[in-house]
Amino acid sequence: MRILSPFIAVLALIAVALVAAQVPGGQALMGIILPYLAFALFLGGVVYRVVQWAKSPVPFRIPTTCGQANSLPWIKQNKIDCPSTKLGVIARMILEVALFRSLFRNTKAEMYEGPKLVYGSSKFLWLFALLFHYSFLVIVLRHMRLFMDPVPGFVAALEFGDGFLQIGSPVFYQTDALFLGAIAFLFLRRIFLANIRYISLPADYFPLLLIFGIALTGILMRTVFRVDVVAIKQLTHGLATFSPAIAGQIGSIFFIHIFLVCTLLIYFPYSKLMHMAGVFMSPTRNMINNSRMVRHINPWNDPNIKPHSYAAYEDEFREFMKESGIPVEKE
Amino acid sequence: MYGKGRIIPALILFLGLMTAPMWFKSGDVSKLPKPEKPKDYTECVAPTQFMRTAHMQLLNEWRDDILREGGSRTGKTANGTEYVRSLQNGCMKCHSDKKKFCDDCHNYASVKPYCWDCHLQPKEAM
């Protein structure tokens, strides 16, 4: 099954981290060298992919038109879903990036007796995708308390807001639960919906399982296998200021967590996760639909190649065409 | 490369945000918290490493045990040190300077326990 190999891969990563945390030098390798390497590969990889994309010419206007295009004055244009101005594109992009507008349009097709095909709106994917991404953002920002000193005010505010239910000690963060719930939904959807399962590949399951592993080890570290947060901040803050040191006793669970995070960072630029940058660069979203207002010249047109009309073509090949019985316009 | 005018600034912004902790107010690493340990006592209510990592869980346990299960308000360590199982009358009796002990770590780790909304700090109690 296509789900087994990514599952085994994540378990193997955990096992590697668990063993490496025990051997001498393994902690420095996983806590200092690997994070730097992974972060550099992540940044370099993202820039590389973006530059690669930017090198591909997009000579034609190919926005997906999701509404009425700009037309006669008495036909109402859908200014955001079929934008003909820069402002419209900016609004469209903001809605897409911040609110996943195109997922909001997700539909499902169902067969009923008859046979009758019925299309309905399906908002769950949109809802859980939104929860997933925003929880992830909050969690990443909350982690900044481990990389900065003094900790910026907005991070403290996020921690406060996230823990405002004041359950337990250390306080329970709502985003942790929302995050796990959203990953579970995104994962189970690929397993239980036959049509989605059919198109799911290891490259779809692996990031989900990996992120689930990261979230789970993080939550376990907070609730079950407590770790010395002061010693960990000494390491992580050291990473951010280029003077890392492993001091005190840091539990193996931390090394599993950071090993999975490093795997994610390294994997990121070469996987579907690049949609983080890709969403900004999709010509189907970020182009102005003005092909009827502006003439777009193909940038790689060779000026030496002159237009070749059909009449000229026929003049050139008339004999051959006649010979093989192809009708010609001019005898 | 096409769209240089937009893509290069966007990439610089991305790199800047990602590396923010490295250049923005990242502070001094050598400034580690040094909680002032009590002079009149030699041991805590549990092994030091456990206290460092899980004191908040211990407090939560005490609270639930005492207030909900009617658990004992006193305890004894393996070495025979007797202590009061209480935030105000236990922890803060030995660790009598909250600012130099609890807060030193907590400011560093950016945690603000809300306990002090109700419980009194040693100075206030006096």
Side-chain angles (χ1 to χ4, degrees):
Chain A
M1 233 169 71
R2 282 172 294 191
I3 189 169
L4 205 60
S5 50
F7 187 64
I8 292 172
V10 173
L11 286 185
L13 287 170
I14 293 176
V16 167
L18 202 57
V19 172
Q22 317 295 331
V23 298
Q27 298 203 340
L29 188 69
M30 275 196 301
I32 299 172
I33 298 172
L34 187 63
Y36 277 131
L37 189 73
F39 194 56
L41 283 173
F42 168 70
L43 295 182
V46 169
V47 171
Y48 172 79
R49 289 293 303 266
V50 167
V51 169
Q52 260 344 78
W53 280 331
K55 280 187 176 156
S56 334
V58 186
F60 307 117
R61 298 276 133 171
I62 52 169
T64 6
T65 54
C66 307
Q68 173 60 50
N70 187 19
S71 178
L72 298 166
W74 42 270
I75 298 177
K76 191 165 176 280
Q77 184 200 355
N78 190 333
K79 289 201 160 69
I80 290 173
D81 287 327
C82 196
S84 55
T85 59
K86 213 171 205 167
L87 200 68
V89 166
I90 291 172
R92 187 183 203 191
M93 286 305 288
I94 289 176
L95 290 174
E96 181 65 34
V97 171
L99 296 173
F100 305 171
R101 194 145 195 263
S102 54
L103 278 188
F104 194 70
R105 258 194 289 270
N106 188 35
T107 52
K108 63 166 187 280
E110 274 172 359
M111 272 297 226
Y112 287 99
E113 264 174 62
K116 211 157 75 185
L117 183 61
V118 174
Y119 292 96
S121 115
S122 169
K123 301 274 183 263
F124 281 109
L125 179 61
W126 169 79
L127 179 69
F128 282 93
L130 209 59
L131 280 177
F132 173 80
H133 285 82
Y134 275 103
S135 302
F136 208 156
L137 179 66
V138 169
I139 291 170
V140 168
L141 289 178
R142 273 208 272 100
H143 276 73
M144 288 306 121
R145 77 170 167 139
L146 298 172
F147 295 95
M148 293 163 121
D149 188 50
V151 177
F154 79 94
V155 176
L158 267 183
E159 286 179 332
F160 174 77
D162 206 353
F164 92 113
L165 294 179
Q166 300 192 337
I167 299 171
S169 171
V171 288
F172 162 81
Y173 286 138
Q174 292 104 268
T175 44
D176 288 1
L178 291 177
F179 192 54
L180 281 188
I183 306 178
F185 174 86
L186 296 175
F187 183 75
L188 293 177
R189 160 180 173 271
R190 289 195 181 273
I191 294 192
F192 286 115
L193 299 183
N195 47 351
I196 308 287
R197 184 172 60 228
Y198 184 72
I199 57 164
S200 293
L201 296 171
D204 296 312
Y205 293 117
F206 181 69
L208 281 172
L209 288 169
L210 188 65
I211 292 169
F212 184 77
I214 292 171
L216 198 68
T217 47
I219 293 170
L220 281 178
M221 193 152 41
R222 197 171 163 79
T223 55
V224 184
F225 309 110
R226 290 284 323 166
V227 288
D228 187 342
V229 177
V230 172
I232 285 175
K233 179 157 182 182
Q234 197 182 345
L235 168 62
T236 51
H237 186 213
L239 284 173
T241 48
F242 300 105
S243 47
I246 293 188
Q249 293 170 29
I250 303 179
S252 306
I253 181 97
F254 171 75
F255 289 100
I256 300 178
H257 186 68
I258 202 162
F259 191 67
L260 294 181
V261 172
C262 290
T263 311
L264 182 68
L265 285 176
I266 296 173
Y267 178 71
F268 196 98
Y270 312 100
S271 67
K272 62 183 270 192
L273 301 176
M274 265 309 283
H275 67 271
M276 178 182 82
V279 67
F280 293 97
M281 304 191 73
S282 319
T284 53
R285 302 279 147 199
N286 69 14
M287 292 191 114
I288 304 170
N289 186 16
N290 61 358
S291 23
R292 294 184 184 182
M293 302 148 95
V294 182
R295 182 165 179 225
H296 299 283
I297 311 260
N298 185 342
W300 75 69
N301 267 354
D302 183 347
N304 296 321
I305 301 174
K306 298 287 178 248
H308 196 206
S309 68
Y310 179 72
Y313 170 89
E314 208 183 89
D315 285 346
E316 196 176 339
F317 294 107
R318 183 164 299 109
E319 293 314 310
F320 302 102
M321 291 169 80
K322 275 187 186 161
E323 222 167 82
S324 44
I326 298 171
V328 286
E329 281 180 356
K330 212 163 66 182
E331 285 303 320
Chain B
M1 202 167 127
Y2 300 90
K4 276 199 186 93
R6 273 168 293 162
I7 289 171
I8 291 176
L11 280 176
I12 291 172
L13 183 70
F14 166 75
L15 292 176
L17 280 177
M18 284 293 150
T19 53
M22 295 183 172
W23 51 263
F24 176 75
K25 273 209 310 193
S26 44
D28 185 4
V29 228
S30 55
K31 214 183 82 220
L32 290 172
K34 284 188 194 60
E36 203 176 85
K37 301 196 176 171
K39 294 181 191 73
D40 319 338
Y41 303 90
T42 49
E43 60 161 354
C44 198
V45 296
T48 313
Q49 184 61 25
F50 174 84
M51 289 310 289
R52 275 183 81 87
T53 59
H55 58 275
M56 60 305 273
Q57 291 184 329
L58 182 75
L59 278 167
N60 202 28
E61 250 174 67
W62 283 7
R63 171 169 62 175
D64 289 354
D65 185 48
I66 295 169
L67 301 184
R68 300 195 181 143
E69 319 282 336
S72 165
R73 283 188 186 253
T74 54
K76 209 177 197 181
T77 62
N79 294 334
T81 310
E82 289 192 19
Y83 58 86
V84 185
R85 290 172 90 208
S86 160
L87 179 58
Q88 279 167 241
N89 306 325
C91 311
M92 305 322 288
K93 190 170 136 264
C94 299
H95 302 292
S96 53
D97 195 338
K98 174 170 168 287
K99 287 220 164 51
K100 286 198 180 130
F101 189 74
C102 314
D103 291 354
D104 199 31
C105 284
H106 291 169
N107 288 340
Y108 181 69
S110 171
V111 279
K112 282 198 188 58
Y114 58 89
C115 321
W116 313 107
D117 292 357
C118 303
H119 290 272
L120 293 177
Q121 303 176 22
K123 287 242 169 57
E124 291 173 339
M126 276 192 279

